Amino acid sequence: MSLLPDCRHSSPFLCGFPSLSSLISRPDAEKTPHYWNEGARRRLEAALALQPVAQRAKNIILFMGDGMGLPTVSAARIYKGQLAGGSGEESILAMETFPHVALAKTYTIDRQVPDSAGTGTAYLCGVKANAKTLGLSGAAVYGKCRTAFGNEVDSVLHRARLAGKSVGIVTTTRVQHASPAAAYAHSASRSWYADANMPRETLRDGCKDIAHQLVYNTDINVILGGGRAYMSPRWTPDPEYPEDPAQNGTRKDGRDLVAEWLSPPHGSPGPAPPGLFEPKDMRYELNRNATTDPSIVEMMEKAIRILRRNPNGFFLFVEDECRIDHGHHSGRAKQAVMEAVMLDRAVARAGELTEPSDTLTVVTADHSHVFTFGGNTLRGASIFGLAPKKAKDKRAYTSILYGNGPGYSIRDGGRPAASLPDKDYRQQAAVPLDVETHSGEDVVVLARGPMAHLFHGVQEQHYIAHAIAYAACLKPYDARPRCGAPRRASSSTQHSPRPPLALLALCMAAFMVVG
């Protein structure tokens, strides 16, 4: 008799992937060979029964953990289990139940260790590019406006919209930041958030800032994240922080891009209010005000509920960027790892809101960080705790360490002893830098749903966009077998009357009502 579970009524994330801890509940179960042999046998039968889903995908969800390298995934797994009261090591992330796995090589054309703009262009637009450039081929030169013209490349989000699908972006950073911007912008610099961030000669040469391109490049149906400041005229008080001039609008051209977004031409119905929840980046989950700011899980759920109304399907990009990535850059491991746990909760919730038979879900990272954990820690030890033995200098150290960053410190001629960390504790680093850096190792790609088996082996990062385009019958793969002819969207600006734009409200109350 097969030991495979009945998948018809169970979670798609758990079916076929039994936890070892579910086999035997006795405390000493792991000491028996039966525990491990039975768990392996069940997983083997699940693997033998696995069949590729060969039809094309109606919907695509791409989850991006910015800076979520394999050490961060492993730490998040342990932390998830420890938050639930377990030892943590045996825990299973929702993303880890996906049956198809690949590795992606993250280098850019000009850098061994990449940034989020060059990598975003790769996995969203399908071509490797130079660091710090967005939506442009490698012929474009960073910071040189004129090199952008004629070297634009379109993202799978843009192509999905042209194919008649609804499209959306959810991010915990500013919506003009490198990763989400690669979905709609063509910019020789990732830093050109608003016109105030651009040199005068760049404006004279005709380049547009990223916030402007957000409104006018692609017909995006849902945008949720931060970034209000780049949409408003200079000195305009922020509606949430009117007494803080540091949060004011930044635009020198005097344009109110939110108002422009809310004023579609030709008398077509207007969209809902915008969902830009912070002037710039959103808050860390551990610092978030749950009464005013939505979590990544809540934003993702609202986006899916809106986008799935389109009978042609949807493409949704969901990213936890500024909080995994920025947590690591600041050397604050607990903030970063908690963000990875939250991204995984969003993955799990997406699985409850969609059908694996018609939705390709992909989880990956753009790059990793010089982050690791070790020190011969014992099973069940806090992932943020101290190593069991002191270092050669007779001082304590945390299991988690960074290769470089602001956690470097010398006091009285030596390394200070580590203390048990709080949420903002900076783990120690080997090399002193103001900001911890990315690292250059491969990142994992996990997939489930139609054509998920295309994600296998070790691939160049730009392959991700091609596999997604093939799975969803997007250009240049729209004429392949099993591709139908869905209704096409207008290729003009974002102001198309159907379906309406769904930039949601600036406060949580309005956010929870829309849709």
Side-chain angles (χ1 to χ4, degrees):
M1 181 178 67
S2 172
L3 293 175
L4 286 174
D6 185 347
C7 297
R8 291 173 294 176
H9 306 293
S10 61
S11 166
F13 291 101
L14 299 179
C15 183
F17 294 89
S19 169
L20 288 173
S21 60
S22 69
L23 298 176
I24 307 175
S25 59
R26 291 183 287 111
D28 60 350
E30 291 184 349
K31 298 178 181 179
T32 68
H34 175 74
Y35 177 88
W36 304 104
N37 292 338
E38 185 71 1
R41 184 159 68 94
R42 292 179 65 175
R43 287 176 174 269
L44 180 60
E45 289 201 3
L48 290 169
L50 186 64
Q51 296 292 327
V53 181
Q55 73 262 24
R56 299 310 175 94
K58 176 182 177 181
N59 309 314
I60 301 286
I61 307 176
L62 175 58
F63 285 95
M64 175 58 55
D66 194 299
M68 192 178 68
L70 278 171
T72 303
V73 174
S74 299
R77 176 199 309 135
I78 295 172
Y79 190 39
K80 173 188 175 181
Q82 293 179 345
L83 287 171
S87 67
E89 295 83 1
E90 73 289 344
S91 179
I92 301 175
L93 296 170
M95 67 180 78
E96 293 177 321
T97 67
F98 284 20
H100 299 282
V101 182
L103 292 176
K105 297 188 283 186
T106 63
Y107 69 92
T108 57
I109 287 178
D110 58 340
R111 294 196 181 185
Q112 186 178 81
V113 177
D115 83 315
S116 295
T119 54
T121 302
Y123 64 75
L124 281 168
C125 301
V127 300
K128 289 260 183 176
N130 291 318
K132 299 185 179 182
T133 65
L134 289 167
L136 301 171
S137 72
V141 179
Y142 167 66
K144 302 296 183 181
C145 167
R146 293 182 181 181
T147 67
F149 303 129
N151 293 316
E152 298 90 346
V153 289
D154 288 333
S155 73
V156 285
L157 178 144
H158 184 80
R159 285 176 264 163
R161 189 68 192 99
L162 294 180
K165 297 182 183 295
S166 293
V167 298
I169 294 173
V170 169
T171 181
T172 57
T173 187
R174 63 200 78 180
V175 297
Q176 304 88 356
H177 211 269
S179 299
Y184 61 81
H186 310 289
S187 179
S189 173
R190 58 176 287 175
S191 300
W192 293 344
Y193 301 124
D195 62 335
N197 306 110
M198 301 175 70
R200 289 183 178 180
E201 61 270 21
T202 298
L203 293 170
R204 287 197 302 266
D205 287 342
C207 281
K208 301 296 184 182
D209 62 87
I210 295 170
H212 179 279
Q213 295 187 58
L214 171 65
V215 176
Y216 289 104
N217 278 12
T218 300
D219 182 3
I220 303 176
N221 304 98
V222 177
I223 285 278
L224 299 173
R228 289 194 299 259
Y230 307 110
M231 310 290 280
S232 303
R234 202 174 187 181
W235 314 124
T236 302
D238 184 83
E240 190 174 2
Y241 310 104
E243 305 302 320
D244 184 359
Q247 310 302 330
N248 288 350
T250 67
R251 299 198 65 83
K252 289 184 176 180
D253 60 9
R255 296 173 67 174
D256 183 342
L257 290 181
V258 171
E260 292 182 31
W261 206 331
L262 300 178
S263 301
H266 312 304
S268 59
L276 304 176
F277 298 98
E278 288 290 336
K280 295 181 181 176
D281 299 327
M282 297 184 70
R283 298 177 184 271
Y284 289 112
E285 175 62 24
L286 293 175
N287 300 349
R288 181 173 64 89
N289 185 337
T291 64
T292 58
D293 292 333
S295 70
I296 188 172
V297 180
E298 292 166 327
M299 290 191 293
M300 181 278 308
E301 176 170 351
K302 184 57 60 174
I304 288 179
R305 291 188 182 280
I306 294 169
L307 296 175
R308 69 184 182 185
R309 298 170 184 170
N310 187 339
N312 288 325
F314 64 84
F315 177 96
L316 176 61
F317 177 71
V318 182
E319 181 218 24
D320 196 311
E321 172 176 354
C322 88
R323 294 320 164 186
I324 299 175
D325 187 58
H326 289 185
H328 282 319
H329 279 314
S330 67
R332 295 182 171 97
K334 190 167 188 178
Q335 297 281 16
V337 173
M338 185 64 210
E339 293 301 316
V341 171
M342 290 301 296
L343 181 71
D344 190 67
R345 290 177 182 174
V347 172
R349 183 62 181 139
E352 297 169 351
L353 294 168
T354 58
E355 293 293 335
S357 60
D358 65 6
T359 302
L360 171 63
T361 304
V362 180
V363 183
T364 189
D366 52 352
H367 55 74
S368 186
H369 280 265
V370 291
F371 162 86
T372 189
F373 60 96
N376 297 315
T377 47
L378 299 176
R379 175 79 178 271
S382 169
I383 188 63
F384 304 111
L386 301 176
K389 294 182 180 181
K390 293 183 178 180
K392 193 173 181 179
D393 59 6
K394 309 300 182 183
R395 294 174 178 176
Y397 67 98
T398 55
S399 171
I400 288 175
L401 297 168
Y402 286 95
N404 59 46
Y408 177 92
S409 180
I410 294 292
R411 298 176 190 169
D412 301 324
R415 179 185 64 88
S419 59
L420 287 174
D422 60 20
K423 65 180 181 179
D424 288 321
Y425 177 81
R426 278 185 163 137
Q427 278 75 12
Q428 293 179 347
V431 176
L433 293 176
D434 291 335
V435 177
E436 179 266 0
T437 71
H438 300 166
S439 61
E441 72 263 23
D442 299 351
V443 295
V444 70
V445 187
L446 305 115
R448 70 148 193 159
M451 296 292 172
H453 59 283
L454 298 178
F455 295 95
H456 70 102
V458 180
Q459 305 287 353
E460 296 284 359
Q461 193 171 39
H462 75 288
Y463 173 82
I464 295 172
H466 287 264
I468 287 174
Y470 185 91
C473 291
L474 307 179
K475 289 185 177 299
Y477 306 106
D478 52 329
R480 297 299 179 95
R482 301 185 182 179
C483 290
R487 176 180 59 84
R488 300 278 169 173
S490 169
S491 60
S492 59
T493 70
Q494 70 92 27
H495 299 297
S496 61
R498 286 181 56 118
L501 182 68
L503 280 179
L504 306 185
L506 296 176
C507 64
M508 186 60 180
F511 171 80
M512 295 305 293
V513 171
V514 177

